Coordinates of all heavy atoms in Angstrom, one line a residue:
M8 N -0.9 15.9 -2.2 CA -0.3 14.6 -2.5 C 0.8 14.8 -3.6 O 0.6 15.6 -4.5 CB -1.4 13.7 -3.1 CG -0.8 12.4 -3.6 SD -1.9 11.5 -4.6 CE -1.9 12.4 -6.1
T9 N 1.8 14.2 -3.3 CA 2.9 14.2 -4.3 C 3.1 12.8 -4.8 O 3.2 11.9 -4.0 CB 4.2 14.7 -3.7 OG1 4.0 15.9 -3.0 CG2 5.3 14.8 -4.7
S10 N 3.1 12.6 -6.1 CA 3.3 11.2 -6.6 C 4.2 11.3 -7.9 O 4.1 12.3 -8.6 CB 2.0 10.6 -7.0 OG 1.3 11.3 -8.0
P11 N 5.0 10.3 -8.1 CA 5.9 10.3 -9.2 C 5.0 10.1 -10.5 O 3.9 9.7 -10.5 CB 6.8 9.1 -9.0 CG 6.0 8.2 -8.1 CD 5.1 9.1 -7.3
A12 N 5.7 10.3 -11.6 CA 5.0 10.2 -12.9 C 4.4 8.8 -13.1 O 3.3 8.6 -13.5 CB 5.9 10.5 -14.1
S13 N 5.2 7.8 -12.6 CA 4.8 6.4 -12.7 C 5.1 5.8 -11.4 O 6.2 5.5 -11.0 CB 5.5 5.6 -13.8 OG 5.1 4.3 -13.8
P14 N 4.0 5.5 -10.5 CA 4.2 4.9 -9.2 C 4.4 3.4 -9.3 O 4.3 2.7 -8.3 CB 3.0 5.3 -8.5 CG 1.9 5.5 -9.5 CD 2.6 6.0 -10.7
W15 N 4.5 2.9 -10.5 CA 4.5 1.4 -10.7 C 6.0 1.0 -11.0 O 6.7 1.7 -11.8 CB 3.6 1.0 -11.9 CG 2.2 1.2 -11.5 CD1 1.4 2.2 -11.9 CD2 1.4 0.3 -10.7 NE1 0.2 2.1 -11.4 CE2 0.1 0.9 -10.6 CE3 1.6 -0.9 -10.1 CZ2 -0.9 0.4 -9.9 CZ3 0.6 -1.4 -9.4 CH2 -0.7 -0.8 -9.3
H16 N 6.4 -0.1 -10.4 CA 7.7 -0.6 -10.7 C 7.5 -1.9 -11.4 O 6.7 -2.7 -11.0 CB 8.5 -1.0 -9.4 CG 8.8 0.2 -8.6 ND1 9.8 0.2 -7.7 CD2 8.4 1.5 -8.6 CE1 9.9 1.4 -7.1 NE2 9.1 2.2 -7.6
P17 N 8.3 -2.2 -12.5 CA 8.1 -3.5 -13.1 C 8.6 -4.6 -12.1 O 9.6 -4.3 -11.3 CB 9.1 -3.4 -14.3 CG 10.0 -2.3 -14.0 CD 9.3 -1.4 -13.1
G18 N 8.0 -5.7 -12.0 CA 8.3 -6.7 -11.1 C 8.7 -8.0 -11.7 O 8.3 -8.3 -12.8
A19 N 9.6 -8.7 -11.0 CA 10.0 -10.0 -11.5 C 9.0 -11.0 -11.1 O 8.9 -12.1 -11.7 CB 11.4 -10.4 -10.9
G20 N 8.2 -10.7 -10.1 CA 7.2 -11.7 -9.7 C 5.8 -11.4 -10.3 O 5.7 -10.5 -11.1
P21 N 4.8 -12.2 -10.0 CA 3.5 -12.0 -10.6 C 2.7 -10.8 -10.1 O 1.8 -10.4 -10.8 CB 2.8 -13.3 -10.2 CG 3.5 -13.8 -8.9 CD 4.9 -13.3 -9.1
L22 N 3.0 -10.3 -9.0 CA 2.3 -9.1 -8.5 C 3.0 -7.8 -8.8 O 4.2 -7.7 -8.6 CB 2.1 -9.2 -7.0 CG 1.3 -10.3 -6.4 CD1 1.2 -10.2 -4.9 CD2 -0.1 -10.3 -7.0
P23 N 2.3 -6.8 -9.3 CA 2.9 -5.5 -9.6 C 3.2 -4.8 -8.3 O 2.6 -5.1 -7.3 CB 1.9 -4.8 -10.5 CG 0.6 -5.4 -10.0 CD 0.9 -6.8 -9.7
V24 N 4.2 -3.9 -8.4 CA 4.6 -3.1 -7.3 C 4.1 -1.7 -7.5 O 4.5 -1.0 -8.4 CB 6.2 -3.1 -7.1 CG1 6.6 -2.2 -5.9 CG2 6.7 -4.5 -6.9
F25 N 3.3 -1.2 -6.5 CA 2.8 0.1 -6.5 C 3.5 0.9 -5.5 O 3.5 0.5 -4.3 CB 1.3 0.1 -6.2 CG 0.6 1.4 -6.1 CD1 0.8 2.4 -7.1 CD2 -0.2 1.6 -5.0 CE1 0.1 3.6 -6.9 CE2 -0.9 2.9 -4.9 CZ -0.7 3.8 -5.9
A26 N 4.2 2.0 -5.9 CA 5.0 2.8 -5.0 C 4.6 4.3 -4.9 O 5.3 5.1 -5.5 CB 6.5 2.6 -5.4
P27 N 3.5 4.6 -4.3 CA 3.1 6.0 -4.2 C 4.1 6.8 -3.3 O 4.7 6.2 -2.4 CB 1.7 5.9 -3.6 CG 1.7 4.6 -2.8 CD 2.6 3.7 -3.6
Q28 N 4.2 8.0 -3.6 CA 5.1 8.9 -2.8 C 4.3 10.1 -2.2 O 3.5 10.7 -2.9 CB 6.2 9.5 -3.8 CG 7.0 8.4 -4.5 CD 8.0 7.8 -3.7 OE1 8.7 8.4 -3.0 NE2 8.0 6.4 -3.7
G29 N 4.6 10.4 -0.9 CA 4.0 11.6 -0.3 C 3.0 11.3 0.7 O 3.0 10.3 1.4
E30 N 2.1 12.3 0.9 CA 1.0 12.2 1.9 C -0.3 11.8 1.3 O -0.6 12.3 0.2 CB 0.9 13.6 2.5 CG 2.1 14.1 3.2 CD 1.9 15.5 3.9 OE1 0.8 16.1 3.7 OE2 2.9 15.9 4.5
F31 N -1.0 11.0 2.0 CA -2.3 10.5 1.5 C -3.4 10.6 2.5 O -3.2 10.2 3.7 CB -2.1 9.0 1.0 CG -1.2 8.9 -0.2 CD1 0.2 8.7 0.1 CD2 -1.6 9.1 -1.5 CE1 1.1 8.6 -1.0 CE2 -0.7 9.1 -2.5 CZ 0.6 8.8 -2.3
D32 N -4.5 11.1 2.1 CA -5.6 11.3 3.0 C -6.9 11.2 2.3 O -7.0 10.6 1.2 CB -5.5 12.7 3.7 CG -5.5 13.8 2.7 OD1 -5.9 13.7 1.5 OD2 -5.1 14.9 3.0
Y33 N -8.0 11.6 2.9 CA -9.4 11.5 2.3 C -9.4 11.9 0.8 O -10.1 11.3 0.0 CB -10.3 12.3 3.1 CG -11.7 12.3 2.6 CD1 -12.6 11.3 2.8 CD2 -12.2 13.4 1.9 CE1 -13.9 11.3 2.3 CE2 -13.5 13.4 1.3 CZ -14.3 12.3 1.6 OH -15.6 12.3 1.1
G34 N -8.8 13.0 0.5 CA -8.8 13.5 -0.9 C -8.1 12.6 -1.9 O -8.4 12.7 -3.1
T35 N -7.2 11.8 -1.5 CA -6.4 11.0 -2.4 C -6.9 9.5 -2.5 O -6.5 8.7 -3.3 CB -4.9 11.0 -2.0 OG1 -4.8 10.5 -0.7 CG2 -4.3 12.4 -2.2
V36 N -7.9 9.2 -1.6 CA -8.4 7.8 -1.5 C -8.9 7.3 -2.9 O -8.6 6.2 -3.3 CB -9.4 7.6 -0.4 CG1 -10.2 6.3 -0.6 CG2 -8.7 7.6 0.9
P37 N -9.7 8.2 -3.6 CA -10.2 7.7 -4.9 C -9.1 7.3 -5.9 O -9.1 6.3 -6.6 CB -11.0 8.9 -5.4 CG -11.5 9.6 -4.2 CD -10.3 9.5 -3.2
W38 N -8.0 8.1 -5.9 CA -6.9 7.9 -6.8 C -6.2 6.6 -6.4 O -5.9 5.7 -7.2 CB -5.9 9.0 -6.8 CG -4.7 8.8 -7.6 CD1 -4.6 8.9 -9.0 CD2 -3.4 8.3 -7.2 NE1 -3.3 8.6 -9.4 CE2 -2.6 8.2 -8.3 CE3 -2.8 8.0 -6.0 CZ2 -1.2 7.8 -8.3 CZ3 -1.5 7.5 -5.9 CH2 -0.7 7.5 -7.1
L39 N -6.0 6.4 -5.0 CA -5.3 5.2 -4.5 C -6.2 4.0 -4.9 O -5.7 2.9 -5.3 CB -5.1 5.3 -3.0 CG -4.0 6.2 -2.5 CD1 -4.1 6.4 -1.0 CD2 -2.7 5.7 -2.9
Q40 N -7.5 4.1 -4.6 CA -8.4 3.0 -4.9 C -8.4 2.6 -6.4 O -8.3 1.4 -6.7 CB -9.9 3.4 -4.6 CG -10.9 2.3 -4.8 CD -10.7 1.2 -3.7 OE1 -11.0 1.4 -2.6 NE2 -10.4 0.0 -4.1
D41 N -8.3 3.6 -7.3 CA -8.3 3.3 -8.7 C -7.0 2.6 -9.1 O -7.0 1.6 -9.8 CB -8.4 4.6 -9.5 CG -8.4 4.4 -11.0 OD1 -9.2 3.6 -11.5 OD2 -7.5 5.0 -11.7
Q42 N -5.9 3.0 -8.5 CA -4.6 2.4 -8.8 C -4.5 0.9 -8.3 O -4.1 0.0 -9.0 CB -3.4 3.2 -8.1 CG -3.3 4.6 -8.7 CD -2.9 4.6 -10.1 OE1 -1.9 3.9 -10.5 NE2 -3.6 5.4 -10.9
I43 N -5.1 0.7 -7.1 CA -5.1 -0.6 -6.5 C -6.1 -1.5 -7.3 O -5.7 -2.7 -7.6 CB -5.5 -0.5 -5.0 CG1 -4.4 0.1 -4.2 CG2 -5.9 -1.9 -4.5 CD1 -4.7 0.5 -2.8
D44 N -7.2 -1.0 -7.7 CA -8.2 -1.8 -8.5 C -7.6 -2.2 -9.8 O -7.8 -3.3 -10.3 CB -9.5 -1.0 -8.7 CG -10.3 -0.9 -7.4 OD1 -10.0 -1.6 -6.5 OD2 -11.3 -0.1 -7.5
T45 N -6.8 -1.3 -10.4 CA -6.2 -1.7 -11.7 C -5.2 -2.9 -11.5 O -5.3 -3.8 -12.3 CB -5.4 -0.5 -12.2 OG1 -6.3 0.6 -12.5 CG2 -4.6 -0.8 -13.5
A46 N -4.5 -2.8 -10.4 CA -3.5 -4.0 -10.2 C -4.3 -5.2 -9.9 O -4.0 -6.3 -10.4 CB -2.6 -3.6 -9.0
V47 N -5.3 -5.1 -9.0 CA -6.0 -6.3 -8.6 C -6.8 -6.9 -9.8 O -6.8 -8.1 -10.0 CB -7.0 -5.9 -7.5 CG1 -8.0 -7.1 -7.2 CG2 -6.3 -5.6 -6.2
N48 N -7.4 -6.1 -10.6 CA -8.1 -6.6 -11.8 C -7.2 -7.3 -12.8 O -7.6 -8.3 -13.4 CB -8.9 -5.5 -12.5 CG -10.0 -5.0 -11.6 OD1 -10.5 -5.7 -10.8 ND2 -10.5 -3.8 -11.8
G49 N -6.0 -6.8 -12.9 CA -5.0 -7.3 -13.9 C -4.2 -8.5 -13.4 O -3.7 -9.3 -14.1
H50 N -4.0 -8.5 -12.0 CA -3.0 -9.4 -11.5 C -3.5 -10.2 -10.3 O -2.7 -11.0 -9.7 CB -1.7 -8.7 -11.1 CG -1.1 -8.0 -12.3 ND1 -0.3 -8.6 -13.2 CD2 -1.2 -6.7 -12.7 CE1 0.1 -7.8 -14.2 NE2 -0.4 -6.6 -13.9
G51 N -4.6 -9.9 -9.7 CA -5.1 -10.6 -8.6 C -4.6 -10.1 -7.2 O -4.9 -10.7 -6.2
G52 N -3.8 -9.1 -7.3 CA -3.2 -8.6 -6.1 C -2.2 -7.5 -6.4 O -2.0 -7.1 -7.5
V53 N -1.5 -7.0 -5.3 CA -0.5 -5.9 -5.5 C 0.4 -5.9 -4.3 O 0.1 -6.3 -3.2 CB -1.3 -4.5 -5.6 CG1 -2.0 -4.2 -4.3 CG2 -0.3 -3.4 -6.0
I54 N 1.6 -5.5 -4.6 CA 2.6 -5.2 -3.6 C 2.7 -3.7 -3.4 O 2.9 -2.9 -4.4 CB 4.0 -5.7 -3.9 CG1 4.0 -7.2 -4.1 CG2 5.1 -5.2 -2.9 CD1 5.3 -7.8 -4.6
L55 N 2.4 -3.2 -2.2 CA 2.4 -1.8 -1.9 C 3.8 -1.5 -1.3 O 4.1 -1.9 -0.2 CB 1.3 -1.4 -0.9 CG 1.4 0.1 -0.4 CD1 1.2 1.1 -1.5 CD2 0.3 0.3 0.7
D56 N 4.6 -0.8 -2.1 CA 5.9 -0.3 -1.6 C 5.7 1.0 -0.8 O 5.5 2.1 -1.4 CB 6.9 -0.1 -2.7 CG 8.3 0.4 -2.3 OD1 8.4 0.7 -1.1 OD2 9.2 0.4 -3.1
A57 N 5.6 0.9 0.5 CA 5.2 2.1 1.3 C 6.4 3.0 1.7 O 6.2 3.9 2.4 CB 4.5 1.6 2.6
G58 N 7.6 2.7 1.2 CA 8.8 3.4 1.5 C 8.7 4.9 1.3 O 9.4 5.7 2.0
G59 N 8.0 5.4 0.3 CA 7.9 6.8 0.0 C 6.7 7.5 0.6 O 6.4 8.7 0.4
I60 N 5.9 6.8 1.4 CA 4.7 7.4 2.0 C 5.1 8.1 3.3 O 5.7 7.5 4.2 CB 3.6 6.3 2.3 CG1 3.2 5.7 1.0 CG2 2.4 6.9 3.0 CD1 2.2 4.5 1.1
T61 N 4.7 9.4 3.4 CA 5.1 10.1 4.6 C 4.0 10.3 5.6 O 4.2 10.7 6.7 CB 5.7 11.5 4.2 OG1 4.7 12.2 3.4 CG2 7.0 11.3 3.4
F62 N 2.7 10.2 5.1 CA 1.6 10.4 6.0 C 0.4 9.7 5.4 O 0.2 9.7 4.2 CB 1.2 11.9 6.1 CG -0.1 12.1 6.8 CD1 -0.1 12.1 8.2 CD2 -1.2 12.3 6.1 CE1 -1.3 12.4 8.9 CE2 -2.4 12.6 6.8 CZ -2.5 12.6 8.2
I63 N -0.4 9.0 6.3 CA -1.7 8.5 5.9 C -2.7 8.8 7.0 O -2.3 8.9 8.2 CB -1.7 7.0 5.6 CG1 -1.3 6.2 6.8 CG2 -0.9 6.7 4.4 CD1 -1.4 4.7 6.7
D64 N -4.0 9.0 6.6 CA -5.0 9.2 7.7 C -5.9 8.0 7.8 O -5.6 6.9 7.2 CB -5.8 10.5 7.4 CG -6.8 10.3 6.2 OD1 -6.9 9.3 5.6 OD2 -7.4 11.4 5.9
S65 N -6.9 8.0 8.6 CA -7.7 6.9 8.9 C -8.5 6.3 7.6 O -8.7 5.1 7.5 CB -8.8 7.2 10.0 OG -9.6 8.2 9.6
T66 N -8.8 7.2 6.7 CA -9.4 6.8 5.4 C -8.5 5.9 4.6 O -9.0 4.9 4.0 CB -10.0 7.9 4.6 OG1 -8.9 8.8 4.2 CG2 -11.0 8.8 5.3
V67 N -7.2 6.2 4.6 CA -6.3 5.3 3.9 C -6.1 4.0 4.7 O -5.9 3.0 4.0 CB -5.0 6.1 3.7 CG1 -3.9 5.2 3.0 CG2 -5.2 7.4 2.9
L68 N -6.0 4.1 6.0 CA -6.0 2.8 6.8 C -7.2 1.9 6.4 O -7.0 0.7 6.3 CB -6.0 3.1 8.3 CG -4.6 3.6 8.8 CD1 -4.8 4.0 10.3 CD2 -3.5 2.6 8.7
T69 N -8.3 2.5 6.3 CA -9.5 1.8 6.0 C -9.4 1.1 4.6 O -9.8 0.0 4.4 CB -10.8 2.7 6.1 OG1 -10.9 3.2 7.4 CG2 -12.0 1.9 5.7
L70 N -8.9 1.9 3.6 CA -8.6 1.4 2.3 C -7.7 0.2 2.3 O -7.9 -0.8 1.7 CB -8.1 2.5 1.4 CG -7.7 2.1 0.0 CD1 -8.8 1.5 -0.8 CD2 -7.0 3.3 -0.7
I71 N -6.6 0.3 3.1 CA -5.6 -0.7 3.2 C -6.3 -2.0 3.7 O -6.1 -3.1 3.2 CB -4.4 -0.3 4.0 CG1 -3.6 0.7 3.2 CG2 -3.5 -1.5 4.4 CD1 -2.5 1.4 4.0
L72 N -7.0 -1.9 4.8 CA -7.7 -3.0 5.4 C -8.7 -3.6 4.5 O -8.8 -4.9 4.4 CB -8.3 -2.6 6.7 CG -7.3 -2.4 7.9 CD1 -8.0 -1.8 9.1 CD2 -6.6 -3.7 8.3
A73 N -9.5 -2.8 3.8 CA -10.5 -3.3 2.9 C -9.8 -4.1 1.7 O -10.3 -5.1 1.3 CB -11.3 -2.2 2.3
T74 N -8.7 -3.5 1.2 CA -7.9 -4.2 0.2 C -7.4 -5.5 0.6 O -7.5 -6.5 -0.1 CB -6.8 -3.3 -0.3 OG1 -7.4 -2.1 -0.8 CG2 -6.0 -3.9 -1.5
H75 N -6.9 -5.6 1.9 CA -6.3 -6.8 2.4 C -7.4 -7.9 2.5 O -7.2 -9.0 2.3 CB -5.8 -6.5 3.8 CG -5.4 -7.7 4.6 ND1 -4.3 -8.5 4.3 CD2 -6.0 -8.3 5.6 CE1 -4.3 -9.5 5.2 NE2 -5.3 -9.4 6.0
Q76 N -8.6 -7.5 2.9 CA -9.7 -8.4 3.0 C -10.2 -9.0 1.7 O -10.7 -10.1 1.7 CB -10.9 -7.8 3.8 CG -10.6 -7.5 5.2 CD -11.7 -6.8 6.0 OE1 -12.5 -6.2 5.4 NE2 -11.7 -7.0 7.3
R77 N -10.1 -8.2 0.6 CA -10.7 -8.6 -0.6 C -9.7 -9.2 -1.6 O -10.1 -9.8 -2.6 CB -11.5 -7.5 -1.3 CG -10.7 -6.4 -1.9 CD -11.6 -5.3 -2.5 NE -10.8 -4.2 -2.9 CZ -10.3 -4.1 -4.1 NH1 -10.5 -5.0 -5.0 NH2 -9.6 -3.0 -4.4
T78 N -8.4 -9.1 -1.4 CA -7.5 -9.5 -2.4 C -6.1 -9.8 -1.7 O -6.0 -9.7 -0.5 CB -7.3 -8.4 -3.5 OG1 -6.6 -9.0 -4.6 CG2 -6.6 -7.2 -3.0
H79 N -5.1 -10.1 -2.5 CA -3.8 -10.4 -2.1 C -3.0 -9.1 -2.0 O -2.5 -8.6 -3.0 CB -3.2 -11.5 -3.0 CG -1.9 -12.0 -2.4 ND1 -1.9 -12.9 -1.4 CD2 -0.6 -11.8 -2.8 CE1 -0.7 -13.2 -1.1 NE2 0.1 -12.6 -1.9
L80 N -2.8 -8.6 -0.8 CA -2.0 -7.4 -0.6 C -0.8 -7.7 0.2 O -0.9 -8.3 1.3 CB -2.9 -6.3 0.1 CG -2.2 -5.1 0.6 CD1 -1.7 -4.2 -0.6 CD2 -3.1 -4.2 1.5
R81 N 0.3 -7.3 -0.3 CA 1.6 -7.4 0.4 C 2.1 -5.9 0.6 O 2.1 -5.2 -0.4 CB 2.6 -8.2 -0.3 CG 2.2 -9.6 -0.5 CD 3.2 -10.4 -1.3 NE 2.7 -11.7 -1.7 CZ 3.3 -12.5 -2.5 NH1 4.4 -12.2 -3.1 NH2 2.7 -13.7 -2.8
I82 N 2.6 -5.6 1.8 CA 3.1 -4.2 2.0 C 4.6 -4.4 2.4 O 5.0 -5.1 3.3 CB 2.3 -3.5 3.2 CG1 0.9 -3.4 2.8 CG2 2.9 -2.2 3.5 CD1 0.0 -2.9 3.9
A83 N 5.4 -3.6 1.6 CA 6.9 -3.6 1.8 C 7.4 -2.3 2.2 O 6.8 -1.2 1.9 CB 7.5 -4.1 0.5
N84 N 8.6 -2.3 2.8 CA 9.3 -1.0 3.1 C 8.5 -0.1 4.0 O 8.5 1.2 3.8 CB 9.7 -0.3 1.9 CG 10.8 -1.0 1.1 OD1 11.6 -1.7 1.7 ND2 10.7 -0.8 -0.2
L85 N 7.8 -0.6 5.0 CA 6.9 0.3 5.8 C 7.8 1.2 6.6 O 8.7 0.8 7.4 CB 6.1 -0.6 6.8 CG 4.9 0.1 7.5 CD1 3.9 0.6 6.5 CD2 4.3 -0.9 8.4
P86 N 7.7 2.5 6.4 CA 8.5 3.5 7.2 C 8.2 3.4 8.7 O 7.1 3.0 9.1 CB 8.1 4.9 6.7 CG 7.4 4.6 5.4 CD 6.8 3.2 5.5
P87 N 9.2 3.7 9.6 CA 9.0 3.6 11.0 C 7.8 4.3 11.5 O 7.0 3.8 12.4 CB 10.3 4.2 11.6 CG 11.3 4.0 10.5 CD 10.6 4.1 9.2
R88 N 7.5 5.5 11.0 CA 6.3 6.2 11.5 C 5.0 5.5 11.2 O 4.1 5.5 12.0 CB 6.3 7.6 10.9 CG 5.3 8.5 11.4 CD 5.4 9.9 11.0 NE 4.4 10.7 11.6 CZ 4.3 12.0 11.5 NH1 5.1 12.7 10.8 NH2 3.3 12.7 12.1
L89 N 4.9 5.0 10.0 CA 3.7 4.2 9.6 C 3.6 2.9 10.4 O 2.6 2.4 10.7 CB 3.6 4.0 8.1 CG 3.4 5.2 7.2 CD1 3.3 4.8 5.8 CD2 2.3 6.0 7.7
A90 N 4.8 2.3 10.6 CA 4.8 1.0 11.4 C 4.3 1.3 12.8 O 3.6 0.5 13.3 CB 6.2 0.5 11.4
Q91 N 4.6 2.5 13.3 CA 4.1 2.8 14.6 C 2.6 3.0 14.6 O 1.9 2.5 15.5 CB 4.8 4.1 15.1 CG 4.3 4.6 16.5 CD 5.0 5.9 16.9 OE1 5.5 6.6 16.1 NE2 5.0 6.1 18.2
V92 N 2.1 3.6 13.6 CA 0.6 3.8 13.5 C -0.1 2.4 13.3 O -1.1 2.2 14.0 CB 0.3 4.7 12.2 CG1 -1.2 4.7 12.0 CG2 0.7 6.1 12.5
F93 N 0.5 1.6 12.5 CA -0.1 0.2 12.3 C -0.1 -0.5 13.6 O -1.0 -1.2 14.0 CB 0.7 -0.6 11.3 CG 0.4 -0.2 9.8 CD1 -0.1 1.0 9.5 CD2 0.7 -1.1 8.8 CE1 -0.4 1.3 8.2 CE2 0.4 -0.8 7.5 CZ -0.2 0.4 7.2
G94 N 1.0 -0.3 14.4 CA 1.1 -1.0 15.7 C 0.1 -0.5 16.7 O -0.5 -1.3 17.5
V95 N -0.1 0.8 16.7 CA -1.1 1.4 17.7 C -2.5 0.8 17.4 O -3.2 0.5 18.4 CB -1.1 2.9 17.5 CG1 -2.3 3.6 18.2 CG2 0.2 3.5 18.1
Y96 N -2.8 0.6 16.1 CA -4.1 0.1 15.8 C -4.2 -1.4 15.8 O -5.2 -2.0 15.6 CB -4.6 0.7 14.5 CG -5.0 2.1 14.6 CD1 -4.1 3.1 14.1 CD2 -6.2 2.5 15.1 CE1 -4.5 4.5 14.2 CE2 -6.5 3.8 15.2 CZ -5.7 4.8 14.8 OH -6.0 6.1 14.9
G97 N -3.0 -2.1 15.9 CA -3.0 -3.5 16.0 C -3.1 -4.2 14.6 O -3.3 -5.4 14.5
I98 N -3.0 -3.4 13.6 CA -3.2 -4.0 12.2 C -1.9 -4.6 11.7 O -1.9 -5.3 10.7 CB -3.8 -3.0 11.2 CG1 -3.0 -1.8 11.0 CG2 -5.2 -2.7 11.7 CD1 -3.5 -0.9 9.9
D99 N -0.8 -4.3 12.4 CA 0.5 -4.9 11.9 C 0.5 -6.4 12.1 O 1.2 -7.1 11.4 CB 1.7 -4.3 12.7 CG 1.6 -4.4 14.2 OD1 0.5 -4.6 14.7 OD2 2.6 -4.2 14.9
D100 N -0.3 -6.9 12.9 CA -0.5 -8.4 13.1 C -1.4 -9.0 12.1 O -1.4 -10.2 11.9 CB -1.0 -8.7 14.5 CG 0.0 -8.4 15.6 OD1 1.3 -8.4 15.3 OD2 -0.4 -8.1 16.7
V101 N -2.2 -8.2 11.4 CA -3.2 -8.7 10.4 C -2.7 -8.6 9.0 O -2.9 -9.5 8.2 CB -4.5 -7.8 10.6 CG1 -5.5 -8.2 9.5 CG2 -5.0 -7.9 12.0
L102 N -1.9 -7.6 8.7 CA -1.5 -7.4 7.3 C -0.2 -8.2 7.0 O 0.5 -8.6 7.9 CB -1.2 -5.9 7.1 CG -2.3 -4.9 7.3 CD1 -1.8 -3.5 7.3 CD2 -3.4 -5.1 6.2
N103 N 0.0 -8.4 5.7 CA 1.2 -9.1 5.2 C 2.3 -8.1 5.0 O 2.3 -7.4 3.9 CB 0.9 -9.8 3.9 CG -0.3 -10.8 4.0 OD1 -0.2 -11.6 4.9 ND2 -1.2 -10.7 3.2
L104 N 3.2 -7.9 6.0 CA 4.2 -6.9 6.0 C 5.6 -7.6 5.7 O 5.9 -8.6 6.3 CB 4.3 -6.1 7.3 CG 3.0 -5.4 7.7 CD1 3.1 -4.8 9.1 CD2 2.6 -4.4 6.7
Y105 N 6.4 -6.9 4.9 CA 7.7 -7.4 4.5 C 8.7 -6.3 4.6 O 8.4 -5.1 4.3 CB 7.7 -8.0 3.1 CG 6.6 -9.1 2.9 CD1 5.3 -8.8 2.6 CD2 7.0 -10.4 3.2 CE1 4.4 -9.9 2.5 CE2 6.1 -11.4 3.1 CZ 4.8 -11.2 2.8 OH 3.8 -12.2 2.7
P106 N 10.0 -6.6 4.9 CA 11.0 -5.5 5.1 C 11.4 -4.9 3.7 O 11.8 -3.8 3.7 CB 12.1 -6.3 5.7 CG 11.9 -7.7 5.4 CD 10.5 -7.9 5.3
T107 N 11.3 -5.7 2.6 CA 11.7 -5.2 1.3 C 10.7 -5.6 0.3 O 10.0 -6.6 0.5 CB 13.1 -5.7 0.9 OG1 13.0 -7.1 0.8 CG2 14.2 -5.4 2.0
V108 N 10.8 -5.0 -0.9 CA 10.0 -5.4 -2.0 C 10.4 -6.8 -2.5 O 9.5 -7.6 -2.8 CB 10.1 -4.4 -3.2 CG1 9.5 -5.0 -4.5 CG2 9.5 -3.1 -2.8
D109 N 11.7 -7.1 -2.5 CA 12.2 -8.4 -2.9 C 11.6 -9.5 -2.0 O 11.2 -10.6 -2.4 CB 13.7 -8.5 -2.9 CG 14.3 -7.8 -4.1 OD1 13.6 -7.6 -5.1 OD2 15.5 -7.4 -4.0
A110 N 11.5 -9.3 -0.7 CA 11.0 -10.2 0.3 C 9.5 -10.4 0.0 O 8.9 -11.5 0.1 CB 11.2 -9.8 1.7
A111 N 8.8 -9.3 -0.3 CA 7.3 -9.4 -0.7 C 7.1 -10.2 -2.0 O 6.2 -11.0 -2.1 CB 6.7 -8.0 -0.8
R112 N 8.0 -10.0 -2.9 CA 7.9 -10.7 -4.2 C 8.1 -12.2 -4.0 O 7.4 -13.0 -4.7 CB 8.9 -10.2 -5.2 CG 8.6 -9.0 -5.8 CD 9.7 -8.6 -6.9 NE 9.3 -7.4 -7.5 CZ 10.2 -6.4 -7.8 NH1 11.5 -6.6 -7.5 NH2 9.8 -5.3 -8.4
T113 N 9.0 -12.6 -3.2 CA 9.3 -14.0 -3.0 C 8.5 -14.8 -2.0 O 8.6 -16.0 -1.8 CB 10.8 -14.2 -2.7 OG1 11.1 -13.6 -1.5 CG2 11.6 -13.7 -3.9
A114 N 7.6 -14.0 -1.3 CA 6.8 -14.6 -0.2 C 5.8 -15.6 -0.8 O 5.3 -15.5 -1.9 CB 6.1 -13.5 0.6

């Protein structure tokens, strides 16, 4: 997993923006869960800027769906490859997807 020093972007809206970078799989789910829980506990939700994500496995898909079910999750900047995966599993119709972080903030 490759992640920037601070995967958080200050936001103009009430939800913080979490922007992880790189590949995410079973080994990184605890870190992702911790980051998401921090946002949810402090703000009631999170905007996931997925633009820098290059790979996710089924455990991360499960985490995303579980987060969507329990809190306010908005996903922005979904890369074409991940959009294809979401489409194959039919979850693109379930999740709150936005073309940009600004669109997610103002939704």
Side-chain angles (χ1 to χ4, degrees):
M8 173 195 74
T9 306
S10 61
S13 176
W15 293 98
H16 294 199
L22 296 180
V24 178
F25 176 49
Q28 304 284 312
E30 299 180 355
F31 297 91
D32 57 20
Y33 177 79
T35 58
V36 166
W38 180 80
L39 289 169
Q40 182 73 64
D41 183 56
Q42 297 296 309
I43 290 169
D44 287 348
T45 298
V47 169
N48 292 337
H50 301 279
V53 65
I54 297 171
L55 172 63
D56 180 350
I60 298 174
T61 57
F62 172 82
I63 60 172
D64 71 2
S65 62
T66 61
V67 178
L68 284 176
T69 300
L70 172 64
I71 289 170
L72 287 170
T74 301
H75 170 75
Q76 290 177 338
R77 71 178 174 92
T78 192
H79 192 71
L80 172 67
R81 299 176 187 172
I82 301 173
N84 292 328
L85 194 64
R88 186 169 183 180
L89 293 183
Q91 181 181 20
V92 170
F93 283 24
V95 165
Y96 288 102
I98 61 174
D99 55 339
D100 292 332
V101 174
L102 299 172
N103 300 310
L104 303 175
Y105 301 89
T107 65
V108 170
D109 286 338
R112 282 186 180 136
T113 58

